[in-house]
Amino acid sequence: MKRVLAALLLLAEPVNAQISSTAAPVANSSGSVTNQAVQVVPSKTFASVINNVQCQGATLTINPFISSTTGWSDPYERYYNEPVYDTLDLVGAFDPEGNPVPDGRPDNPGNVLFRKPIRTGQKTNFSVNGGITAQISIPLDRSHIRTCRAAAEKQVQLMEANLADKRLNYEIARLRNCGTLMKEGVIFRPSSPYASICADVILVNPPGVLPPHTHSIPTSSTTAETSDAAKQTQ
């Protein structure tokens, strides 16, 4: 069996293979990356000021935002012409019988047969983005904040007492002036828009002073005759 295989290998003639390989790879890569960042800047903590007493507290800041992005290519080319080369390969090598065969190389390298239009894909990009940023600021010295709030409440009480004192002075002055004018017989006309200023003021007798009044004195017949006799004598 081994002798038969050896004889077949010796008798076998070489075979010339004709190989034609044509490769025209085209790779187009286009991309864009847009990075957008939103910076949150620490803002001033809101404070309440009451009569020179300033107190700060926790603050929540909400900031809406909107941004737009526009991208384009310059120069703008919608299409470009790609050359198509002549890849014909018929000659360049010979077989054992002397006939021309392809050698794997184009017969006319660099020869452009025609140009075909290729779309570039260039376009103008426009985007609109929006969002909301939030920031919370909290004072760390809580004891100071509580003391400041207590001082602010005291200031509010003082201002309310001062307001009540001014209100009392105003009402007493109104009562005094309205009473003096009413004693002098001066009053507003009822249809006057200022008649309501003294509408609730009542003029009465002060303590220990009798108001003007009259008394009826009873008389008898004897007193009447005596009075008539006295008139005749006169």
Side-chain angles (χ1 to χ4, degrees):
M1 186 64 183
K2 295 182 178 179
R3 295 178 179 180
V4 175
L5 292 177
L8 291 176
L9 292 175
L10 292 175
L11 294 177
E13 296 182 354
V15 178
N16 294 327
Q18 297 181 357
I19 301 173
S20 177
S21 176
T22 301
V26 177
N28 295 325
S29 177
S30 176
S32 62
V33 177
T34 302
N35 294 326
Q36 293 183 351
V38 178
Q39 181 179 6
V40 179
V41 180
S43 60
K44 181 179 179 181
T45 305
F46 291 96
S48 301
V49 181
I50 301 176
N51 199 10
N52 296 328
V53 177
Q54 181 175 349
C55 300
Q56 296 181 352
T59 303
L60 172 62
T61 304
I62 299 177
N63 299 319
F65 68 90
I66 185 171
S67 61
S68 62
T69 304
T70 304
W72 66 91
S73 299
D74 188 21
Y76 177 76
E77 294 181 356
R78 181 174 296 180
Y79 293 92
Y80 71 94
N81 294 323
E82 180 182 5
V84 178
Y85 296 96
D86 185 3
T87 59
L88 181 64
D89 183 16
L90 298 178
V91 296
F94 299 92
D95 59 5
E97 298 178 356
N99 298 321
V101 294
D103 60 351
R105 297 180 179 179
D107 296 337
N108 300 311
N111 183 29
V112 179
L113 297 178
F114 61 92
R115 297 179 181 273
K116 62 179 180 180
I118 303 297
R119 188 174 184 273
T120 61
Q122 294 182 358
K123 59 184 178 179
T124 301
N125 298 321
F126 180 77
S127 63
V128 178
N129 302 312
I132 296 177
T133 61
Q135 177 185 357
I136 300 178
S137 301
I138 302 176
L140 299 180
D141 191 356
R142 303 301 299 174
S143 60
H144 174 71
I145 297 300
R146 287 191 290 267
T147 303
C148 184
R149 289 178 180 175
E153 292 177 358
K154 294 297 182 181
Q155 291 295 327
V156 171
Q157 294 176 2
L158 289 175
M159 288 188 292
E160 290 178 350
N162 189 20
L163 177 62
D165 180 66
K166 292 182 180 298
R167 182 69 182 183
L168 179 62
N169 293 335
Y170 167 78
E171 295 296 343
I172 291 177
R174 184 176 69 90
L175 182 64
R176 182 184 297 109
N177 293 331
C178 289
T180 302
L181 293 176
M182 291 174 67
K183 287 180 182 179
E184 296 176 357
V186 180
I187 60 174
F188 288 104
R189 184 188 297 273
S191 60
S192 173
Y194 304 104
S196 60
I197 296 177
C198 297
D200 56 347
V201 178
I202 301 175
L203 188 62
V204 297
N205 271 349
V209 178
L210 295 177
H213 60 283
T214 59
H215 295 277
S216 59
I217 302 176
T219 58
S220 60
S221 58
T222 305
T223 306
E225 292 177 355
T226 304
S227 178
D228 292 339
K231 289 180 180 180
Q232 293 178 1
T233 303
Q234 294 176 356

